[in-house]
């Protein structure tokens, strides 16, 4: 797939990410940072089920959304980079629709959510490809994962393979959030330390 030219992060964007990390450290939070909303907005679907709205992380999520002048910053974390990337994919889809509303359909997961493969020439291009392949898969099939598992990750050949469990999006059951048009390199950042990895990516909306 064709990738966009790489853009370096602006100083303002870099400062915003630095401020977010500093806030986590000041709060002495070592594993799971506080979500943007401590009282998520909810809505009830046609079956009477209450779902967290798109763009609001559900309880226990290891991701959040940071403000950006024109787009949105996806921020995910985990014990290591593969786990942080799994959560990054969920972060992206949680902006498109409510992950609470997604059920796991084994047939649809097998048909549309298996072996999504990304390839790059360095870490940033690999992250770009990883998200871009998932976004392309959604645009092609409508498949939204509720769970994402990275089964293969190589920093030698810059390759990642992941699969997801979920279902095809149905606007009669799944609330529509904000369309994500493209992944960008702007502000992309990975912070790794022992037992913790944070990933920041700006997406075009």
């Amino acid at each position: 797939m064709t990738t966009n030219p790489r853009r370096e992060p602006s100083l303002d964007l870099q400062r915003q990410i630095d401020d977010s990390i500093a806030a986590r450290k000041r709060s002495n939070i070592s594993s799971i940072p506080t979500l943007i909303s401590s009282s998520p907005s909810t809505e009830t679907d046609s079956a009477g089920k209450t779902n967290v709205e798109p763009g609001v992380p559900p309880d226990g999520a290891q991701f959040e959304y940071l403000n950006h002048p024109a787009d949105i910053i996806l921020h995910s974390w985990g014990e290591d980079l593969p786990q942080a990337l799994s959560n990054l994919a969920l972060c992206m889809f949680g902006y498109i629709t409510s992950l609470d509303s997604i059920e796991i359909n084994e047939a649809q997961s097998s048909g549309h959510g298996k072996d999504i493969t990304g390839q790059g020439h360095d870490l940033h291009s690999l992250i770009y490809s990883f998200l871009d392949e998932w976004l392309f898969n959604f645009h092609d099939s409508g498949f939204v994962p509720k769970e994402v598992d990275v089964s293969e990750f190589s920093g030698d050949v810059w390759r990642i393979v992941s699969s997801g469990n979920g279902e095809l999006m149905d606007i009669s059951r799944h609330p529509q959030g904000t369309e994500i048009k493209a992944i960008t390199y702007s502000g992309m950042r990975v912070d790794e330390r022992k037992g913790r990895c944070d990933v920041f990516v700006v997406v075009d909306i």
Side-chain angles (χ1 to χ4, degrees):
M1 296 180 63
T2 302
T3 59
N4 295 334
R6 181 165 180 169
R7 295 180 291 167
E8 295 299 323
S10 68
L11 291 178
D12 288 342
L13 185 58
Q14 197 69 46
R15 191 176 299 112
Q16 186 175 356
I17 293 174
D18 288 337
D19 289 345
S20 175
I21 294 174
R24 303 285 182 261
K25 292 179 180 178
R26 287 195 300 273
S27 300
N28 295 319
I29 298 173
S30 60
S31 57
I32 300 178
T34 304
L35 301 177
I36 275 181
S37 173
S38 58
S39 300
S41 299
T42 60
E43 60 181 36
T44 303
D45 63 19
S46 58
K49 179 181 177 182
T50 301
N51 301 312
V52 174
E53 291 183 354
V56 178
D59 289 339
Q62 293 188 2
F63 60 80
E64 66 177 355
Y65 306 100
L66 303 178
N67 291 329
H68 183 277
D71 299 312
I72 193 72
I73 304 172
L74 308 180
H75 172 210
S76 69
W77 56 91
E79 294 181 358
D80 52 27
L81 182 55
Q83 186 180 90
L85 291 177
S86 294
N87 292 325
L88 185 65
L90 295 178
C91 185
M92 178 177 71
F93 283 107
Y95 209 71
I96 295 172
T97 188
S98 169
L99 294 182
D100 278 352
S101 70
I102 299 297
E103 303 292 339
I104 294 179
N105 182 303
E106 292 185 5
Q108 293 177 0
S109 297
S110 179
H112 303 287
K114 299 303 180 187
D115 297 329
I116 306 299
T117 302
Q119 190 84 41
H121 59 270
D122 60 12
L123 181 56
H124 282 196
S125 63
L126 183 63
I127 294 172
Y128 179 100
S129 177
F130 168 73
L131 281 184
D132 194 47
E133 290 296 332
W134 271 112
L135 186 60
F136 175 82
N137 187 65
F138 169 72
H139 288 158
D140 183 56
S141 67
F143 180 77
V144 178
K146 189 182 185 73
E147 305 169 346
V148 173
D149 177 65
V150 173
S151 58
E152 178 185 336
F153 179 88
S154 173
D156 295 324
V157 296
W158 300 114
R159 171 182 163 89
I160 183 170
V161 180
S162 60
S163 297
N165 293 317
E167 64 177 334
L168 301 183
M169 187 167 178
D170 179 349
I171 60 173
S172 70
R173 296 187 296 111
H174 304 136
Q176 291 180 277
T178 303
E179 177 189 6
I180 292 180
K181 299 176 182 177
I183 316 303
T184 78
Y185 282 104
S186 176
M188 187 180 291
R189 177 166 166 175
V190 178
D191 290 318
E192 290 186 89
R193 57 187 184 275
K194 185 177 180 180
R196 170 77 183 228
C197 180
D198 289 76
V199 180
F200 300 83
V201 176
V202 176
V203 293
D204 182 16
I205 58 176

